[in-house]
Amino acid sequence: MPTQYLFVFAQVHDEFRIPELLSVAELYGFDIKFSEDPKERDTSRPFMILELKSEEHARLLAGRCILIKYVCEFYARGTSYEEMHERNRLRKPQWEKYIADTSFKFMVTAFNHTIPQRRQRDVVEGFAYMDFQGKIDMKNPEITLACFEEYPDRRGTIREKIEGDGEFDEVWFGRLIDVELARPLAKKFDVKKRAYFGNTSMEAEMSLLMANQTLASPGKLVYDPFIGTGSMAYTTAYFGAFVFGSDIDGRQMRGKAKPPGIIRAAAQYGVANRIMDLCTFDVTQNPWRCGELFDAIVTDPPYGVRAGAKRLGRKNQRQPKEGPPPVHVERPDDQQYIPPTKPYELSELARDLILLARYMLKPRGRLVFFLPTVTEEYEEIDVQTMLCEGMEIVANSLQNFGSWGRRLITVRKITTEKYPPPTFDPAHAVTENADVHVPAHKDFREKYFQGFKKNGSIADSSAQEV
Amino acid sequence: MVRLITHNLLACHAKGCTSNNFPLQFQDAAIELRDAEFNADFLRGFLPRIEWTALVGAARQLGDTSLPAEQPEMLDDEFLQKLHHVLLEVHVEEGAMVCPNCKHVYPISNGIPNMLLAEHEIG
Ligand SMILES: C[S@@+](CC[C@H](N)C(=O)[O-])C[C@H]1O[C@@H](n2cnc3c(N)ncnc32)[C@H](O)[C@@H]1O
Ligand SMILES: [Zn+2]
């Protein structure tokens, strides 16, 4: 018999919540039943009721999902205390086993509001009819009964702390399940406390969400082809996977001291031996001998704002000089020869990345990557049209920064067929073909630096650049 | 780093270098041995991707003769332990990998190989 569990979520990254739940459930091989009612799946609210086969599944979710704050066995909810208590009485079969002699305490709290102490006591007294005989133990109770009042989100409006006390939308009640939460990992992986990081490092919470989208677990091999300072490598390795990383710029992976920065930071998290290897190369000129190597690819591709998207070659296609590369003075970062690079347009890069993933992933493997988008111009077709045969969208979650945002795209390889490696031929680029849909993320870098002005072609507005 | 599992997956990719471009030959290799977590499922799953002769050759070049010349049919624990050691615990920290065909030198420094191509080598 499936049981209803009350989940309380952090009120951040709303669009990542359901994909994360589904990924973790898939990783452990169980089902989650969501409500049929779309209002009940509204991720702008902190509460959600999920049906699970066992409490063990609730524990597994809480132990991996970064966005979960509390998990309860659900007893009752209501728009008033009367309604909630009435329903809770009907649920007696679920809690009567605790009546006789289980030590307990109550936790009364609110979202988007603070309940004054006095009324908290009144709330607890309101549960007197449950008639719990065990002793109240504030420190080490056998069970905690949790009551949450949910107030409307009034972000941005100024008001007295306790103004409107009692005017909640809904009150929720259940037995708190004692779980080891994954959420504190966001502190553990805090970039500022890391032995090595850079200005492209991905924030900890997002690196953890990304690692969950890869279904990382022991025995898997995950690849980041734009690894930079390695933020997702640490979280992915922490969940047990081996990680392989490459970057066109060795300095990003090494930093200044020795051993290489990524290894130093990985050691801090106890996962240095799960960094399979790091290599310096341009992913469009890669040395992979064969495909179907990885269970997942996780990456934050360069989109030209901070870490420019580059590829080997010259901008204006001038004929390369014949003969060996010019001799360079040895650099402190021991990269003796830095070949010239040219810009790599974002929509081209995104399509190449999906083709590369189809080649490099094992069947059922996942590609998880960020795609920056222009908020007002984005259309779902932008993402659909960058797919290729054999690759299917699993999730698409927006992190909104206002005029622009970035979408965490999760793609699954659904084919067992063998495909050739991508050619990375710019001739296939979207621009070259007028019939092809032009996505809003095309030329993202230029749009970014123009402040996403509407109208006017890029050529026009670049003239106004200071 | 460079572990032999990685070495087994990298081929020379210079323009026009498409045959006899694997395996790369180690040059002046400075080796370190470091423990890695043993995972039998990972090894079994990865074995089909491994070029056996290249692996045995690279291990021997680095002085490890524990692997048989022919890949055994039976993946027993004793074999998997040896495979684990060769694939994951031998790290080439310094030196280079050289293409047997075009002789391109891919230098390894602090365990990171530089697989970048020069301008005249890209396709
Ligand atoms: C947004 S950063 C990745 C940041 C990384 N997630 C981190 O935590 O630091 C993009 C990286 O891609 C690298 N890059 C740019 N073009 C590349 C190419 N053609 N091949 C490989 N790496 C490239 C840049 O050097 C940069 O380190
Ligand atoms: Zn070669």
Side-chain angles (χ1 to χ4, degrees):
Chain A
M1 239 294 281
T3 310
Q4 289 183 315
Y5 293 89
L6 170 62
F7 282 76
V8 186
F9 294 91
Q11 284 167 288
V12 283
H13 306 315
D14 297 354
E15 291 195 10
F16 293 70
R17 183 191 297 177
I18 291 176
E20 184 183 46
L21 289 166
L22 291 172
S23 291
V24 174
E26 179 173 333
L27 170 67
Y28 292 114
F30 61 83
D31 288 329
I32 302 176
K33 198 162 169 286
F34 291 87
S35 168
E36 309 272 317
D37 180 357
K39 278 208 300 292
E40 293 294 310
R41 300 193 302 265
D42 175 1
T43 51
S44 67
R45 299 176 69 178
F47 300 94
M48 208 175 252
I49 289 180
L50 305 178
E51 274 182 34
L52 301 170
K53 281 223 182 66
S54 79
E55 193 167 306
E56 181 53 20
H57 295 170
R59 270 176 215 288
L60 289 170
L61 288 173
R64 255 316 265 271
C65 293
I66 305 308
L67 297 177
I68 295 178
K69 285 175 75 174
Y70 302 102
V71 188
C72 299
E73 183 191 1
F74 174 67
Y75 291 158
R77 63 195 274 190
T79 51
S80 66
Y81 271 100
E82 294 70 50
E83 185 178 49
M84 186 275 283
H85 284 311
E86 195 177 309
R87 291 174 179 169
N88 187 40
R89 282 192 169 91
L90 301 175
R91 290 278 193 150
K92 189 167 178 181
Q94 263 180 280
W95 46 259
E96 68 186 341
K97 57 178 170 290
Y98 303 118
I99 293 177
D101 64 351
T102 304
S103 66
F104 68 99
K105 77 167 182 195
F106 273 92
M107 171 177 125
V108 178
T109 179
F111 282 74
N112 304 316
H113 179 71
T114 310
I115 309 174
Q117 287 259 322
R118 264 204 51 167
R119 200 170 63 77
Q120 286 190 27
R121 277 196 300 277
D122 297 346
V123 169
V124 173
E125 273 158 27
F127 288 97
Y129 63 90
M130 290 175 83
D131 202 21
F132 276 27
Q133 301 297 313
K135 78 169 188 326
I136 296 177
D137 183 343
M138 297 309 286
K139 281 220 178 78
N140 247 326
E142 286 166 83
I143 63 165
T144 300
L145 297 160
C147 181
F148 305 98
E149 294 179 4
E150 180 190 5
Y151 290 75
D153 187 348
R154 284 183 228 170
R155 263 175 265 193
T157 60
I158 306 158
R159 66 194 174 102
E160 280 294 306
K161 226 178 169 187
I162 58 167
E163 184 188 299
D165 183 45
E167 292 167 19
F168 50 78
D169 286 341
E170 243 185 309
V171 56
W172 307 76
F173 181 61
R175 175 181 59 85
L176 195 68
I177 301 175
D178 186 23
V179 288
E180 173 128 22
L181 289 170
R183 185 146 184 79
L185 290 175
K187 276 220 174 63
K188 179 186 172 88
F189 286 95
D190 185 358
V191 173
K192 297 273 149 47
K193 291 187 251 154
R194 193 173 291 165
Y196 177 67
F197 61 90
N199 66 356
T200 62
S201 297
M202 177 67 62
E203 51 301 2
E205 189 173 14
M206 197 49 85
S207 302
L208 287 157
L209 289 168
M210 292 172 83
N212 273 339
Q213 287 306 102
T214 70
L215 312 182
S217 64
K220 289 190 179 166
L221 183 56
V222 178
Y223 176 36
D224 184 345
F226 302 101
I227 195 168
T229 64
S231 307
M232 290 85 80
Y234 313 126
T235 53
T236 307
Y238 181 80
F239 292 136
F242 279 119
V243 181
F244 195 102
S246 62
D247 198 288
I248 196 171
D249 185 354
R251 295 166 300 181
Q252 297 289 329
M253 301 184 284
R254 293 171 194 275
K256 294 211 168 73
K258 289 177 188 178
I262 291 186
I263 302 301
R264 277 181 278 134
Q268 177 187 350
Y269 304 121
V271 299
N273 70 14
R274 293 192 193 140
I275 306 297
M276 180 79 86
D277 257 310
L278 303 170
C279 272
T280 307
F281 58 78
D282 174 349
V283 72
T284 71
Q285 303 281 338
N286 69 67
W288 294 115
R289 173 177 63 77
C290 59
E292 295 188 39
L293 294 175
F294 302 112
D295 295 283
I297 293 178
V298 62
T299 200
D300 180 24
Y303 46 89
V305 178
R306 261 183 292 186
K310 306 170 279 233
R311 55 193 298 182
L312 296 181
R314 283 186 195 269
K315 231 179 185 166
N316 35 18
Q317 306 260 299
R318 132 169 98 77
Q319 276 301 306
K321 287 197 242 35
E322 287 299 318
V327 185
H328 281 239
V329 195
E330 194 160 329
R331 299 166 48 116
D333 56 51
D334 51 49
Q335 280 207 331
Q336 293 170 5
Y337 170 66
I338 309 261
T341 55
K342 58 185 180 186
Y344 194 2
E345 193 273 313
L346 180 67
S347 67
E348 208 183 300
L349 183 155
R351 287 161 46 107
D352 284 348
L353 182 59
I354 293 176
L355 289 169
L356 178 76
R358 181 174 65 176
Y359 174 64
M360 297 300 302
L361 288 173
K362 299 177 190 167
R364 309 285 301 163
R366 285 180 167 205
L367 165 66
V368 178
F369 72 104
F370 261 119
L371 181 74
T373 53
V374 186
T375 308
E376 285 216 349
E377 292 172 28
Y378 171 81
E379 301 170 278
E380 202 166 311
I381 189 173
D382 293 355
V383 169
Q384 291 302 333
T385 47
M386 68 190 189
L387 290 179
C388 56
E389 186 184 277
M391 300 294 275
E392 169 192 86
I393 299 275
V394 173
N396 173 351
S397 310
L398 174 67
Q399 184 183 16
N400 197 337
F401 299 123
S403 59
W404 72 288
R406 52 183 185 186
R407 290 180 172 272
L408 187 66
I409 313 279
T410 305
V411 182
R412 191 201 322 264
K413 175 169 171 178
I414 50 169
T415 175
T416 50
E417 231 158 277
K418 307 261 183 282
Y419 285 90
T423 60
F424 297 102
D425 188 350
H428 296 162
V430 206
T431 24
E432 255 77 325
N433 188 339
D435 302 340
V436 174
H437 169 77
V438 178
H441 55 267
K442 184 169 184 298
D443 297 315
F444 181 80
R445 182 176 194 276
E446 285 71 14
K447 292 176 184 168
Y448 181 90
F449 285 113
Q450 288 153 22
F452 304 107
K453 287 192 206 76
K454 274 192 114 183
N455 319 317
S457 73
I458 282 157
D460 289 348
S461 36
S462 64
Q464 301 159 14
E465 239 177 3
V466 240
Chain B
M1 328 235 291
V2 174
R3 309 191 204 215
L4 292 188
I5 188 172
T6 305
H7 170 264
N8 202 270
L9 300 174
L10 302 176
C12 179
H13 55 124
K15 182 181 182 178
C17 190
T18 49
S19 63
N20 189 33
N21 58 343
F22 173 85
L24 304 173
Q25 302 296 306
F26 283 115
Q27 200 176 62
D28 305 325
I31 296 167
E32 265 180 42
L33 300 180
R34 285 203 288 273
D35 290 346
E37 293 160 71
F38 179 80
N39 187 316
D41 290 338
F42 173 76
L43 294 168
R44 278 197 206 93
F46 214 83
L47 206 50
R49 291 276 155 271
I50 294 292
E51 274 282 345
W52 188 256
T53 315
L55 179 66
V56 174
R60 295 200 174 161
Q61 208 196 335
L62 302 180
D64 187 307
T65 55
S66 60
L67 294 181
E70 292 283 314
Q71 185 181 323
E73 307 245 302
M74 268 283 291
L75 307 183
D76 60 15
D77 207 52
E78 195 194 331
F79 166 72
L80 289 177
Q81 290 288 352
K82 285 180 186 157
L83 180 66
H84 166 76
H85 176 72
V86 171
L87 278 181
L88 297 169
E89 297 190 324
V90 181
H91 299 248
V92 177
E93 291 295 319
E94 301 291 331
M97 294 184 285
V98 183
C99 173
N101 182 40
C102 76
K103 309 297 175 208
H104 183 108
V105 177
Y106 296 98
I108 301 169
S109 158
N110 275 299
I112 302 182
N114 186 345
M115 306 300 292
L116 280 174
L117 298 175
E119 198 175 0
H120 65 288
E121 295 170 315
I122 58 180

